[in-house]
Structure formats: structure tokens, C-alpha cells
């Protein structure tokens, strides 16, 4: 059973917001733990090319789990500069997502002008 916490959605300008679409950033500590578990080694001792592959696997695994368990749709994933993904989901599903301990923060996606 996952621990729950209550995050707040990071709001953006309503004029630029993409309705129902959110950027979800995962906690770095969680991703590091997953990289270690996937590799069987401490993530600090891995070769950088291996770390990138394991980070991608860890992000995709978490993204797929979080999106499917909250009735969302996975739009994109990120595993280099940050660990996270973009999802489309309704407001009720978003409220459930905001309670998951693996998440650092969630921001409304927006059109950059």
C-alpha cells in the first residue's frame, strides 16, 4: 500500500492552460531507488549509459502505473533533465494522482508563447 500525501496543483495562466493535461514530476529519490532495484547495484556506481536506460525504465514503469491506476492517458515521458510525464485525465482522477507519494509536483500543462 502506498503512503498518501496531498499535493497542490501548480496553476498556470488560464489563457495558456491545456484543459485536462498535466505535467507530473516524480521524486528523484524514488527514481534512484528504482534504478538501483532494476540494476541490482547502487545507482551511483553504474556507468552513465546504463543509468540512462534504467532511468527510462523506471520513469516509464511509474508513469504507466500512475496513469492506468488513475484512468488517464500517457502523452509523453521525460527521463533526462527531469523524471516525469505528461498525462490527460479528468479532475477526479487528478485529485487521486495528487495523493501519490512518488510525485514531487504536478503542473497544469500549457502552451508556451
Amino acid at each position: 500500500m502506498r503512503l498518501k500525501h496531498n499535493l497542490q496543483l501548480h496553476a498556470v495562466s488560464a489563457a495558456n492552460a491545456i484543459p485536462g493535461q498535466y505535467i507530473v514530476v516524480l521524486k528523484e529519490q524514488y527514481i534512484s531507488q528504482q534504478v538501483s532495484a532494476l540494476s541490482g547495484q547502487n545507482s551511483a556506481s553504474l556507468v552513465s549509459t546504463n543509468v540512462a536506460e534504467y532511468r527510462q525504465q523506471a520513469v516509464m514503469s511509474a508513469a504507466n502505473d500512475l496513469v492506468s491506476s488513475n484512468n488517464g492517458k500517457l502523452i509523453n515521458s521525460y527521463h533526462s533533465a527531469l523524471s516525469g510525464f505528461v498525462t490527460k485525465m479528468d479532475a477526479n482522477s487528478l485529485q487521486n494522482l495528487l495523493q501519490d507519494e512518488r510525485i514531487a509536483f504536478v503542473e497544469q500543462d500549457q502552451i508556451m508563447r
Side-chain angles (χ1 to χ4, degrees):
M1 181 174 174
R2 297 241 174 244
L3 297 176
K4 296 200 177 203
H5 65 176
N6 290 310
L7 292 175
Q8 297 295 316
L9 176 66
H10 290 231
V12 298
S13 166
N16 296 335
I18 301 173
Q21 191 162 307
Y22 307 96
I23 300 168
V24 179
V25 177
L26 300 164
K27 289 181 178 175
E28 194 54 42
Q29 180 181 3
Y30 170 76
I31 294 300
S32 293
Q33 290 170 344
Q34 295 307 302
V35 167
S36 293
L38 286 166
S39 68
Q41 301 177 48
N42 183 312
S43 60
S45 65
L46 289 170
V47 177
S48 63
T49 54
N50 292 341
V51 171
E53 291 172 19
Y54 289 124
R55 283 184 68 81
Q56 182 176 11
Q57 289 176 30
V59 169
M60 287 306 301
S61 176
N64 286 325
D65 181 48
L66 288 163
V67 168
S68 66
S69 65
N70 290 291
N71 301 314
K73 178 181 178 188
L74 184 63
I75 305 298
N76 203 351
S77 65
Y78 308 101
H79 54 86
S80 296
L82 59 83
S83 300
F85 58 95
V86 176
T87 184
K88 279 192 165 291
M89 63 180 52
D90 65 35
N92 289 335
S93 297
L94 174 63
Q95 290 309 309
N96 289 333
L97 181 77
L98 289 170
Q99 295 180 36
D100 195 287
E101 59 143 5
R102 296 172 283 183
I103 298 173
F105 69 90
V106 178
E107 180 175 304
Q108 176 89 42
D109 201 359
Q110 63 184 312
I111 297 169
M112 302 303 289
R113 298 178 198 257

